[in-house]
Amino acid sequence: MIRIGLVAALCLGIAAPAGAQNIPRIKATVLSYAGSVLVVQPEGEKDSMRVTVRPATRVMEEQVKSFSDIQVGDFIGATLTRNSLGVLSAQEVHIFPGSMRGSGEGLYPATPGSPSMILDGTVGQINTARLGVRYRGATGEGPYAGGPEGGRGCSGRAPPGPLDGCQGSIIIAVPANTPVVGLAPG
């Protein structure tokens, strides 16, 4: 079986406005594929689901990587939680292909009200067990605005316009055991 991530402008019949950043993403194992229907089992789920594959659908394959594979200029995504010292620490890091640059960019809660955060941005510096990441966000207001972990007052998911939103930067901890995954066209 193949583990993939699906990124689609139209997935399961849900239309996304042109230029929208809220593209449905499914992390799943492929069970079968016939014609334009992909049967997948989403991660953490018991039941499978059928996904209609359209021309705009992108299928991405996960490749195991390490911290040393991350380069300055890479567009990455990370799931963050606050560690025992109060620093935002990566639980996992994804290295995105260039074609996904800007997708989902920002610093925002993983789910509404969640203490976990999502960070998508460009690596600006790499130090032992730390990454400096630059990103665009929605606003200078928010729960993480203004603090050292708040991206210099910039939070939220970046608006679709490449010049819209705020500019932020943040340094995150990346413990030695943090999974690093590269995404490549599947």
Side-chain angles (χ1 to χ4, degrees):
M1 294 200 198
I2 301 169
R3 295 188 49 81
I4 61 161
L6 294 175
V7 181
L10 296 172
C11 182
L12 302 175
I14 302 169
Q21 297 283 325
N22 293 328
I23 298 171
R25 295 180 184 189
I26 303 166
K27 187 172 184 178
T29 300
V30 175
L31 301 176
S32 67
Y33 179 71
S36 64
V37 177
L38 192 60
V39 178
V40 298
Q41 183 171 7
E43 188 173 271
E45 299 289 328
K46 293 179 184 176
D47 297 325
S48 63
M49 64 188 287
R50 299 167 67 85
V51 178
T52 300
V53 179
R54 305 197 180 200
T57 302
R58 288 192 285 170
V59 177
M60 308 302 289
E61 179 182 4
E62 290 185 348
Q63 299 172 342
V64 176
K65 300 285 185 176
S66 67
F67 184 80
S68 64
D69 292 317
I70 300 170
Q71 303 295 312
V72 169
D74 282 347
F75 187 71
I76 63 148
T79 303
L80 308 171
T81 58
R82 206 170 291 283
N83 68 19
S84 61
L85 300 174
V87 174
L88 285 175
S89 180
Q91 301 303 299
E92 63 181 356
V93 176
H94 290 89
I95 305 169
F96 297 120
S99 63
M100 291 182 68
R101 185 171 296 281
S103 175
E105 191 166 5
L107 176 65
Y108 45 90
T111 57
S114 171
S116 295
M117 300 294 292
I118 300 294
L119 170 66
D120 289 344
T122 302
V123 175
Q125 62 179 317
I126 302 170
N127 296 319
T128 305
R130 298 207 184 286
L131 292 175
V133 180
R134 297 181 317 270
Y135 62 93
R136 286 186 322 112
T139 177
E141 303 298 323
Y144 291 86
E149 73 286 344
R152 296 186 185 155
C154 183
S155 64
R157 189 174 273 198
L163 301 176
D164 297 335
C166 54
Q167 298 291 318
S169 64
I170 189 168
I171 295 177
I172 61 170
V174 183
N177 60 345
T178 302
V180 177
V181 175
L183 295 180

